[in-house]
Amino acid sequence: MASYLLRRLIALLTTVFVVVSLVFVLLRLSPGSPLYTLLGYSYSEEGRAAVAARLGLDASIPEQYIRYVSRLFSGDLGNSIFSDQPVVTLVMERLPVSLELGLMAAGVWMLLGVVAGVAAALRHGSIIDGFVRVVSVIALSVPSFWLGLVCVLVFGVYVVGIFPADGYIPPGEGLGAHLASLALPAFVLGLPAFAVIARTLRASLLEVLERDYVAFARAIGQPRGELVRRIALRNAAVPVVTVMGLMLGMLVSGAILVENVFGVPGIGQLMVDSFRRQDYPVAVGCCLAVALLYLVTNLLVDLAQLVIDPRVREGVLR
């Protein structure tokens, strides 16, 4: 187990390092410069050179990269070019909002996806099965940014007073108002996860219900509820856990479009603003945080698979 964890941690850190390196280089190769935003287009060359030297932008890209990596290993992500605040502070201010939104969407929609998948599998060929399949296809087909704009239009213009669609309300202004302000973003963000989990669990459970050991348990008089709960669901859960882990990582770290549509001040909104202004340190710091969230979530899911399925555990630890 220790060697497996060590391999996974090495792979995780290598992936994060590659992501950070690519974002760092591509940002500096992209057209434009943050100096234009800072100074405008009417500036002297002396003033531009002084600001570039102060920000470390006067060096070549390889030199800037070496400086950044050396600071990164010491835990220093640098300061924002525009606000001069530490990147770690900016990211940690926005990260709890994204985590809350992602976990809120996951907690509701993943549970509904499990219930819908089980119901569709146990009522295979019925109206319930057809309804779940149709809703899942629609949920996967509708772009999240379009659905978000529709929700803002409907609940912010035509149906006022049900859910606030005019921005994020901090917890200090009331817990009820705060949760209500996250309801529509969580709905839009979690709907694709519901569809994926429902379809995956339905297919996996249908396959397990056709296995010989399930037929044997049914033949010896095993009660249907106990058979489904203790035998079928446990064996059908392995692929579902994998999908749930992937979706959880996406929900927690990938709410970029949804946060910008609803004005939620999470890390996704910070990332878009930093890329738009070419705030290099903040953009790289946001990508680093998102990559770490996604990879750590997947690592935890893999560890959960080792606990759930003895076959996976034996194959890994062999």
Side-chain angles (χ1 to χ4, degrees), residues 9-127:
L9 288 175
I10 292 174
L12 185 150
L13 294 176
T14 303
T15 304
V16 170
F17 183 75
V18 171
V19 169
V20 169
S21 300
L22 285 175
V23 174
F24 183 94
V25 173
L26 291 176
L27 274 172
R28 280 156 177 78
L29 292 177
S30 61
S33 171
L35 297 177
Y36 296 143
T37 306
L38 282 171
L39 302 174
Y41 289 91
S42 56
Y43 56 83
S44 64
E45 287 299 326
E46 292 79 7
R48 180 183 182 280
V51 174
R54 178 174 62 85
L55 297 176
L57 300 177
D58 57 335
S60 63
I61 294 179
E63 291 178 3
Q64 294 181 45
Y65 177 74
I66 293 173
R67 293 176 187 172
Y68 183 82
V69 170
S70 62
R71 294 199 308 267
L72 182 63
F73 282 117
S74 63
D76 182 12
L77 299 181
N79 292 354
S80 169
I81 293 176
F82 297 93
S83 65
D84 201 34
Q85 289 183 272
V87 174
V88 174
T89 302
L90 292 174
V91 170
M92 294 307 295
E93 287 176 353
R94 301 294 190 98
L95 189 58
V97 179
S98 294
L99 288 173
E100 183 183 14
L101 175 60
L103 293 175
M104 183 176 176
V108 175
W109 285 107
M110 285 187 177
L111 178 61
L112 291 177
V114 170
V115 173
V118 172
L122 296 182
R123 302 289 189 273
H124 179 54
S126 66
I127 297 177

Side-chain angles (χ1 to χ4, degrees), residues 142-267:
V142 176
S144 59
F145 66 89
W146 180 85
L147 181 60
L149 293 174
V150 170
C151 289
V152 170
L153 179 64
V154 171
F155 294 100
V157 178
Y158 297 113
V159 186
V160 181
I162 299 179
F163 295 108
D166 55 352
Y168 174 79
I169 299 176
E173 299 183 15
L175 182 60
H178 169 67
L179 294 177
S181 69
L182 291 177
L184 288 180
F187 166 75
V188 174
L189 182 62
L191 193 59
F194 160 82
V196 172
I197 291 170
R199 291 174 65 88
T200 304
L201 182 56
R202 174 187 176 274
S204 180
L205 190 55
L206 284 175
E207 180 183 357
V208 170
L209 289 174
E210 297 295 328
R211 297 288 178 85
D212 293 338
Y213 55 83
V214 175
F216 176 77
R218 190 183 293 115
I220 63 175
Q222 185 86 16
R224 179 178 174 83
E226 189 175 352
L227 185 149
V228 172
R229 185 178 64 256
R230 298 185 59 183
I231 300 177
L233 273 179
R234 179 164 183 171
N235 287 277
V238 176
V240 179
V241 169
T242 303
V243 172
M244 290 179 70
L246 294 173
M247 298 308 298
L248 180 60
M250 294 174 62
L251 291 177
V252 172
S253 63
I256 298 173
L257 292 176
V258 174
E259 288 181 1
N260 282 273
V261 168
F262 288 96
V264 178
I267 196 169

Side-chain angles (χ1 to χ4, degrees), residues 277-317:
R277 298 191 302 173
Q278 291 184 300
D279 195 344
Y280 299 149
V282 178
V284 177
C286 289
C287 291
L288 173 63
V290 169
L292 277 174
L293 278 174
Y294 188 80
L295 293 170
V296 169
T297 302
N298 280 274
L299 176 60
L300 294 177
V301 170
D302 290 343
L303 294 177
Q305 279 188 320
L306 298 181
V307 176
I308 294 174
D309 194 344
R311 296 168 299 179
V312 177
R313 184 165 60 249
E314 291 176 2
V316 169
L317 302 181

